Amino acid sequence: MRSDPLANAAVPVPEEPSAPGGLPRHVAIIMDGNGRWANRRGLPRTLGHRKGIEAVRRVVRHAGERRIEVLTLFAFSRENWNRPKAEVNELMSLLRRFIRSDLEDLIANNVQIQVIGGRDDIDKDIVGLIEEAEARTRLNDGLRLVLAFNYGGRDELARAARKLAFAVAAGQIAPEAVNEDTLAAYLDTAALPDPDLVIRTSGEQRISNFLLWQSAYAEYAFPATLWPDFGAAHLDEALADYATRQRRFGAVPVTIAKP
Ligand code: IPE
Ligand code: IPE
Ligand code: MG
């Protein structure tokens, strides 16, 4: 027997996917504006990048204190290879220096490090440092710090599709079994929850090939602050704003039923 559709009004409404006042599990940041920060001071762009490392330290510390589960930082995009060679070298060296100088501190603070992005075209010594950082922090269970380095969303999807194609060709997966979950399992972020909040500093409002698949339902924030000036208060502001958003994931927003 079909029930009266109006009777649905009495059915308890499903819980809202993300309750107002909620804290994002995963915050991802496009750290932009280092060059402009330096330009405004008449300094070389590379100094802006160096200054940006201090913001990284502030934000990592604060995200841990705020009990954010995952913090992803976009540090170098595949498209950033198109910059002048000296700037590319500086950005490469910055990752080297950051791991060398901060790894012990991060270990002491129970941070787990993961690096996403292609590894084939970066210097072998950097790959070695990345592997060391990941191995030595693997068992930590505090903040998960994900560095997107030599990362591009389309590249990540293409690499995942290639691995999946090999698995299908080898008979490990039936072609008809390929779905969203199988593809996601081949992404660099397979073990991570999707970002809830994506912040891009410097006022630019674009995603520049960052976490394309994973950000399908992310909330966005575009603070005008240049990355080297970004700190705890700016992160708190973005978190407070996030808490006011109503996430719907395509469903009908929850309303309180009138008597
Ligand atoms: C972000 O700052 C850092 C990286 C892209 C590595 P930019 O270097 O893009 O700074 P702007 O956008 O030129 O100011
Ligand atoms: C995005 O910033 C990449 C990183 C922050 C690492 P860009 O400055 O490279 O992006 P576009 O070129 O302005 O889109
Ligand atoms: Mg930029």
Tab-separated table of all heavy atoms in Angstrom, residues 199-244:
chain	number	residue	atom	x	y	z
A	199	ILE	N	40.948	27.812	1.148
A	199	ILE	CA	41.253	29.236	1.314
A	199	ILE	C	42.293	29.618	0.261
A	199	ILE	O	43.289	28.916	0.094
A	199	ILE	CB	41.851	29.505	2.716
A	199	ILE	CG1	40.882	29.068	3.824
A	199	ILE	CG2	42.230	30.979	2.871
A	199	ILE	CD1	41.493	29.124	5.234
A	200	ARG	N	42.058	30.703	-0.461
A	200	ARG	CA	43.105	31.241	-1.334
A	200	ARG	C	43.407	32.651	-0.885
A	200	ARG	O	42.519	33.509	-0.870
A	200	ARG	CB	42.692	31.241	-2.800
A	200	ARG	CG	43.832	31.764	-3.679
A	200	ARG	CD	43.565	31.724	-5.152
A	200	ARG	NE	44.778	32.074	-5.891
A	200	ARG	CZ	45.194	31.486	-7.006
A	200	ARG	NH1	44.482	30.518	-7.530
A	200	ARG	NH2	46.310	31.861	-7.597
A	201	THR	N	44.630	32.895	-0.521
A	201	THR	CA	45.012	34.233	-0.075
A	201	THR	C	45.299	35.133	-1.276
A	201	THR	O	45.339	34.670	-2.409
A	201	THR	CB	46.262	34.170	0.832
A	201	THR	OG1	47.329	33.562	0.102
A	201	THR	CG2	45.980	33.368	2.096
A	202	SER	N	45.462	36.394	-1.019
A	202	SER	CA	45.885	37.435	-1.976
A	202	SER	C	44.754	38.003	-2.812
A	202	SER	O	44.985	38.855	-3.671
A	202	SER	CB	47.014	36.954	-2.907
A	202	SER	OG	46.486	36.318	-4.067
A	203	GLY	N	43.522	37.543	-2.571
A	203	GLY	CA	42.376	38.134	-3.259
A	203	GLY	C	42.044	37.520	-4.608
A	203	GLY	O	40.987	37.805	-5.166
A	204	GLU	N	42.943	36.702	-5.159
A	204	GLU	CA	42.615	36.047	-6.434
A	204	GLU	C	41.493	35.045	-6.192
A	204	GLU	O	41.479	34.355	-5.171
A	204	GLU	CB	43.824	35.286	-6.995
A	204	GLU	CG	45.082	36.092	-7.178
A	204	GLU	CD	44.969	37.152	-8.254
A	204	GLU	OE1	43.955	37.172	-8.986
A	204	GLU	OE2	45.893	37.974	-8.346
A	205	GLN	N	40.565	34.986	-7.149
A	205	GLN	CA	39.446	34.053	-6.972
A	205	GLN	C	39.457	33.015	-8.082
A	205	GLN	O	38.686	33.084	-9.022
A	205	GLN	CB	38.126	34.810	-6.945
A	205	GLN	CG	38.102	35.843	-5.821
A	205	GLN	CD	36.739	36.442	-5.588
A	205	GLN	OE1	35.742	35.997	-6.145
A	205	GLN	NE2	36.681	37.456	-4.755
A	206	ARG	N	40.415	32.098	-7.983
A	206	ARG	CA	40.459	30.975	-8.926
A	206	ARG	C	41.137	29.807	-8.232
A	206	ARG	O	41.814	29.991	-7.218
A	206	ARG	CB	41.195	31.360	-10.217
A	206	ARG	CG	42.585	31.932	-10.004
A	206	ARG	CD	43.285	32.228	-11.340
A	206	ARG	NE	44.529	32.924	-11.120
A	206	ARG	CZ	44.676	34.250	-11.168
A	206	ARG	NH1	43.646	35.020	-11.440
A	206	ARG	NH2	45.854	34.797	-10.938
A	207	ILE	N	40.972	28.611	-8.825
A	207	ILE	CA	41.517	27.440	-8.132
A	207	ILE	C	42.836	26.967	-8.719
A	207	ILE	O	43.520	26.149	-8.110
A	207	ILE	CB	40.490	26.286	-8.000
A	207	ILE	CG1	39.942	25.865	-9.349
A	207	ILE	CG2	39.388	26.684	-7.055
A	207	ILE	CD1	38.976	24.685	-9.248
A	208	SER	N	43.209	27.476	-9.881
A	208	SER	CA	44.543	27.198	-10.435
A	208	SER	C	44.923	25.712	-10.345
A	208	SER	O	46.038	25.379	-9.919
A	208	SER	CB	45.599	28.080	-9.745
A	208	SER	OG	45.307	29.444	-9.931
A	209	ASN	N	44.002	24.842	-10.752
A	209	ASN	CA	44.323	23.409	-10.891
A	209	ASN	C	44.587	22.712	-9.545
A	209	ASN	O	45.340	21.753	-9.471
A	209	ASN	CB	45.545	23.263	-11.826
A	209	ASN	CG	45.598	21.913	-12.510
A	209	ASN	OD1	44.663	21.117	-12.435
A	209	ASN	ND2	46.708	21.632	-13.162
A	210	PHE	N	43.978	23.224	-8.487
A	210	PHE	CA	44.203	22.669	-7.142
A	210	PHE	C	43.053	21.739	-6.755
A	210	PHE	O	41.884	22.128	-6.843
A	210	PHE	CB	44.292	23.836	-6.152
A	210	PHE	CG	44.657	23.464	-4.732
A	210	PHE	CD1	45.729	22.633	-4.460
A	210	PHE	CD2	43.934	23.985	-3.663
A	210	PHE	CE1	46.076	22.317	-3.142
A	210	PHE	CE2	44.276	23.687	-2.344
A	210	PHE	CZ	45.344	22.845	-2.089
A	211	LEU	N	43.335	20.533	-6.347
A	211	LEU	CA	42.353	19.578	-5.797
A	211	LEU	C	41.016	19.600	-6.547
A	211	LEU	O	39.958	19.738	-5.930
A	211	LEU	CB	42.139	19.867	-4.296
A	211	LEU	CG	43.380	19.725	-3.407
A	211	LEU	CD1	43.054	20.095	-1.963
A	211	LEU	CD2	43.966	18.320	-3.452
A	212	LEU	N	41.077	19.459	-7.865
A	212	LEU	CA	39.874	19.602	-8.690
A	212	LEU	C	38.799	18.583	-8.328
A	212	LEU	O	37.624	18.920	-8.184
A	212	LEU	CB	40.238	19.440	-10.170
A	212	LEU	CG	41.196	20.479	-10.747
A	212	LEU	CD1	41.442	20.188	-12.218
A	212	LEU	CD2	40.631	21.878	-10.568
A	213	TRP	N	39.199	17.349	-8.200
A	213	TRP	CA	38.243	16.276	-7.889
A	213	TRP	C	37.731	16.416	-6.456
A	213	TRP	O	36.537	16.336	-6.181
A	213	TRP	CB	38.951	14.920	-8.085
A	213	TRP	CG	38.223	13.721	-7.601
A	213	TRP	CD1	38.092	13.302	-6.303
A	213	TRP	CD2	37.503	12.778	-8.396
A	213	TRP	NE1	37.358	12.150	-6.254
A	213	TRP	CE2	36.982	11.804	-7.525
A	213	TRP	CE3	37.268	12.648	-9.775
A	213	TRP	CZ2	36.234	10.727	-7.968
A	213	TRP	CZ3	36.525	11.572	-10.213
A	213	TRP	CH2	36.011	10.624	-9.319
A	214	GLN	N	38.681	16.652	-5.553
A	214	GLN	CA	38.379	16.605	-4.121
A	214	GLN	C	37.537	17.796	-3.650
A	214	GLN	O	36.879	17.728	-2.619
A	214	GLN	CB	39.692	16.579	-3.327
A	214	GLN	CG	40.575	15.384	-3.599
A	214	GLN	CD	41.506	15.596	-4.802
A	214	GLN	OE1	41.311	16.465	-5.629
A	214	GLN	NE2	42.526	14.766	-4.883
A	215	SER	N	37.581	18.903	-4.380
A	215	SER	CA	36.896	20.115	-3.922
A	215	SER	C	35.479	20.232	-4.462
A	215	SER	O	34.887	21.328	-4.406
A	215	SER	CB	37.685	21.359	-4.326
A	215	SER	OG	38.943	21.339	-3.724
A	216	ALA	N	34.937	19.136	-4.972
A	216	ALA	CA	33.614	19.181	-5.613
A	216	ALA	C	32.584	19.919	-4.755
A	216	ALA	O	31.764	20.664	-5.270
A	216	ALA	CB	33.140	17.762	-5.926
A	217	TYR	N	32.638	19.700	-3.442
A	217	TYR	CA	31.667	20.355	-2.558
A	217	TYR	C	32.325	21.191	-1.456
A	217	TYR	O	31.729	21.423	-0.406
A	217	TYR	CB	30.701	19.323	-1.969
A	217	TYR	CG	29.472	19.179	-2.858
A	217	TYR	CD1	29.344	18.107	-3.736
A	217	TYR	CD2	28.491	20.156	-2.849
A	217	TYR	CE1	28.242	17.993	-4.573
A	217	TYR	CE2	27.394	20.061	-3.671
A	217	TYR	CZ	27.262	18.980	-4.536
A	217	TYR	OH	26.180	18.890	-5.362
A	218	ALA	N	33.549	21.645	-1.725
A	218	ALA	CA	34.238	22.461	-0.719
A	218	ALA	C	33.583	23.836	-0.619
A	218	ALA	O	32.990	24.332	-1.575
A	218	ALA	CB	35.703	22.616	-1.098
A	219	GLU	N	33.724	24.448	0.537
A	219	GLU	CA	33.399	25.865	0.706
A	219	GLU	C	34.680	26.650	0.409
A	219	GLU	O	35.780	26.158	0.657
A	219	GLU	CB	32.957	26.144	2.143
A	219	GLU	CG	31.698	25.415	2.564
A	219	GLU	CD	30.459	25.902	1.826
A	219	GLU	OE1	30.375	27.109	1.555
A	219	GLU	OE2	29.589	25.060	1.512
A	220	TYR	N	34.523	27.874	-0.108
A	220	TYR	CA	35.697	28.671	-0.478
A	220	TYR	C	35.782	29.962	0.314
A	220	TYR	O	34.768	30.533	0.702
A	220	TYR	CB	35.649	29.018	-1.969
A	220	TYR	CG	36.087	27.864	-2.844
A	220	TYR	CD1	35.188	26.891	-3.241
A	220	TYR	CD2	37.421	27.728	-3.214
A	220	TYR	CE1	35.595	25.803	-4.005
A	220	TYR	CE2	37.841	26.655	-3.983
A	220	TYR	CZ	36.923	25.696	-4.379
A	220	TYR	OH	37.333	24.631	-5.121
A	221	ALA	N	37.008	30.401	0.552
A	221	ALA	CA	37.239	31.713	1.167
A	221	ALA	C	38.387	32.378	0.422
A	221	ALA	O	39.379	31.719	0.094
A	221	ALA	CB	37.598	31.548	2.646
A	222	PHE	N	38.226	33.658	0.125
A	222	PHE	CA	39.245	34.385	-0.634
A	222	PHE	C	39.690	35.638	0.117
A	222	PHE	O	39.377	36.761	-0.293
A	222	PHE	CB	38.698	34.765	-2.017
A	222	PHE	CG	38.314	33.580	-2.866
A	222	PHE	CD1	36.972	33.238	-3.055
A	222	PHE	CD2	39.293	32.809	-3.480
A	222	PHE	CE1	36.620	32.152	-3.846
A	222	PHE	CE2	38.951	31.720	-4.282
A	222	PHE	CZ	37.611	31.386	-4.463
A	223	PRO	N	40.408	35.471	1.218
A	223	PRO	CA	40.863	36.670	1.944
A	223	PRO	C	41.857	37.464	1.097
A	223	PRO	O	42.619	36.899	0.316
A	223	PRO	CB	41.542	36.088	3.188
A	223	PRO	CG	41.901	34.692	2.828
A	223	PRO	CD	40.879	34.229	1.838
A	224	ALA	N	41.841	38.790	1.262
A	224	ALA	CA	42.718	39.665	0.462
A	224	ALA	C	44.164	39.624	0.949
A	224	ALA	O	45.084	40.008	0.226
A	224	ALA	CB	42.187	41.095	0.522
A	225	THR	N	44.374	39.152	2.160
A	225	THR	CA	45.720	39.133	2.755
A	225	THR	C	46.721	38.374	1.879
A	225	THR	O	46.404	37.294	1.383
A	225	THR	CB	45.647	38.421	4.133
A	225	THR	OG1	44.541	38.965	4.842
A	225	THR	CG2	46.915	38.595	4.929
A	226	LEU	N	47.894	38.947	1.714
A	226	LEU	CA	48.953	38.249	0.976
A	226	LEU	C	49.537	37.161	1.888
A	226	LEU	O	49.620	37.349	3.111
A	226	LEU	CB	50.045	39.237	0.550
A	226	LEU	CG	49.559	40.414	-0.320
A	226	LEU	CD1	50.704	41.403	-0.582
A	226	LEU	CD2	48.969	39.909	-1.646
A	227	TRP	N	49.943	36.043	1.308
A	227	TRP	CA	50.344	34.899	2.130
A	227	TRP	C	51.382	35.226	3.216
A	227	TRP	O	51.215	34.805	4.366
A	227	TRP	CB	50.805	33.719	1.261
A	227	TRP	CG	51.256	32.584	2.114
A	227	TRP	CD1	52.527	32.128	2.286
A	227	TRP	CD2	50.432	31.780	2.997
A	227	TRP	NE1	52.553	31.091	3.192
A	227	TRP	CE2	51.282	30.863	3.644
A	227	TRP	CE3	49.057	31.761	3.285
A	227	TRP	CZ2	50.806	29.919	4.567
A	227	TRP	CZ3	48.584	30.835	4.208
A	227	TRP	CH2	49.457	29.925	4.841
A	228	PRO	N	52.444	35.999	2.930
A	228	PRO	CA	53.427	36.232	3.996
A	228	PRO	C	52.841	36.959	5.210
A	228	PRO	O	53.419	36.907	6.298
A	228	PRO	CB	54.504	37.095	3.317
A	228	PRO	CG	54.380	36.763	1.869
A	228	PRO	CD	52.904	36.562	1.639
A	229	ASP	N	51.694	37.627	5.031
A	229	ASP	CA	51.061	38.341	6.155
A	229	ASP	C	50.016	37.483	6.864
A	229	ASP	O	49.426	37.915	7.851
A	229	ASP	CB	50.366	39.619	5.646
A	229	ASP	CG	51.357	40.655	5.162
A	229	ASP	OD1	52.466	40.728	5.733
A	229	ASP	OD2	51.026	41.374	4.198
A	230	PHE	N	49.761	36.300	6.347
A	230	PHE	CA	48.662	35.477	6.872
A	230	PHE	C	49.063	34.850	8.210
A	230	PHE	O	50.202	34.438	8.411
A	230	PHE	CB	48.334	34.370	5.860
A	230	PHE	CG	46.969	33.768	6.012
A	230	PHE	CD1	45.852	34.384	5.455
A	230	PHE	CD2	46.788	32.575	6.706
A	230	PHE	CE1	44.589	33.826	5.580
A	230	PHE	CE2	45.529	32.009	6.836
A	230	PHE	CZ	44.422	32.636	6.267
A	231	GLY	N	48.110	34.797	9.124
A	231	GLY	CA	48.430	34.229	10.435
A	231	GLY	C	47.205	33.651	11.117
A	231	GLY	O	46.153	33.472	10.495
A	232	ALA	N	47.366	33.388	12.420
A	232	ALA	CA	46.332	32.717	13.209
A	232	ALA	C	44.983	33.438	13.117
A	232	ALA	O	43.938	32.799	12.938
A	232	ALA	CB	46.784	32.626	14.665
A	233	ALA	N	45.002	34.778	13.218
A	233	ALA	CA	43.739	35.522	13.236
A	233	ALA	C	43.020	35.386	11.893
A	233	ALA	O	41.784	35.297	11.849
A	233	ALA	CB	43.999	36.998	13.547
A	234	HIS	N	43.781	35.358	10.789
A	234	HIS	CA	43.154	35.213	9.470
A	234	HIS	C	42.540	33.823	9.323
A	234	HIS	O	41.463	33.657	8.758
A	234	HIS	CB	44.178	35.431	8.356
A	234	HIS	CG	44.821	36.781	8.388
A	234	HIS	ND1	46.040	37.003	8.979
A	234	HIS	CD2	44.395	37.970	7.912
A	234	HIS	CE1	46.346	38.279	8.869
A	234	HIS	NE2	45.363	38.898	8.240
A	235	LEU	N	43.244	32.827	9.856
A	235	LEU	CA	42.697	31.466	9.784
A	235	LEU	C	41.418	31.385	10.623
A	235	LEU	O	40.402	30.834	10.187
A	235	LEU	CB	43.733	30.436	10.269
A	235	LEU	CG	43.284	28.970	10.228
A	235	LEU	CD1	42.864	28.547	8.820
A	235	LEU	CD2	44.402	28.043	10.726
A	236	ASP	N	41.465	31.982	11.796
A	236	ASP	CA	40.275	31.967	12.655
A	236	ASP	C	39.083	32.643	11.980
A	236	ASP	O	37.945	32.192	12.105
A	236	ASP	CB	40.567	32.669	13.989
A	236	ASP	CG	41.270	31.737	14.963
A	236	ASP	OD1	41.240	30.507	14.732
A	236	ASP	OD2	41.854	32.232	15.937
A	237	GLU	N	39.378	33.732	11.268
A	237	GLU	CA	38.310	34.443	10.570
A	237	GLU	C	37.674	33.532	9.508
A	237	GLU	O	36.440	33.469	9.383
A	237	GLU	CB	38.919	35.679	9.892
A	237	GLU	CG	37.953	36.809	9.663
A	237	GLU	CD	38.674	38.017	9.099
A	237	GLU	OE1	39.696	38.447	9.692
A	237	GLU	OE2	38.235	38.513	8.057
A	238	ALA	N	38.490	32.825	8.772
A	238	ALA	CA	37.968	31.922	7.739
A	238	ALA	C	37.183	30.780	8.381
A	238	ALA	O	36.146	30.339	7.857
A	238	ALA	CB	39.112	31.378	6.887
A	239	LEU	N	37.646	30.297	9.530
A	239	LEU	CA	36.941	29.211	10.221
A	239	LEU	C	35.588	29.694	10.740
A	239	LEU	O	34.587	28.973	10.664
A	239	LEU	CB	37.784	28.671	11.390
A	239	LEU	CG	39.075	27.950	11.015
A	239	LEU	CD1	39.853	27.553	12.271
A	239	LEU	CD2	38.807	26.721	10.149
A	240	ALA	N	35.571	30.924	11.261
A	240	ALA	CA	34.317	31.467	11.791
A	240	ALA	C	33.318	31.643	10.657
A	240	ALA	O	32.122	31.354	10.798
A	240	ALA	CB	34.580	32.802	12.493
A	241	ASP	N	33.795	32.105	9.508
A	241	ASP	CA	32.907	32.290	8.367
A	241	ASP	C	32.391	30.935	7.871
A	241	ASP	O	31.211	30.775	7.559
A	241	ASP	CB	33.641	33.036	7.254
A	241	ASP	CG	32.708	33.346	6.095
A	241	ASP	OD1	31.654	33.948	6.360
A	241	ASP	OD2	33.000	32.962	4.949
A	242	TYR	N	33.293	29.958	7.844
A	242	TYR	CA	32.898	28.606	7.422
A	242	TYR	C	31.750	28.082	8.297
A	242	TYR	O	30.820	27.445	7.813
A	242	TYR	CB	34.101	27.659	7.510
A	242	TYR	CG	33.743	26.203	7.306
A	242	TYR	CD1	33.698	25.661	6.017
A	242	TYR	CD2	33.444	25.371	8.386
A	242	TYR	CE1	33.355	24.341	5.810
A	242	TYR	CE2	33.097	24.047	8.187
A	242	TYR	CZ	33.058	23.531	6.901
A	242	TYR	OH	32.709	22.224	6.710
A	243	ALA	N	31.854	28.379	9.586
A	243	ALA	CA	30.858	27.860	10.538
A	243	ALA	C	29.457	28.398	10.254
A	243	ALA	O	28.466	27.830	10.707
A	243	ALA	CB	31.281	28.192	11.967
A	244	THR	N	29.363	29.498	9.509
A	244	THR	CA	28.044	30.061	9.195
A	244	THR	C	27.473	29.502	7.880
A	244	THR	O	26.345	29.803	7.519
A	244	THR	CB	28.106	31.598	9.039
A	244	THR	OG1	28.856	31.904	7.851
A	244	THR	CG2	28.745	32.271	10.233
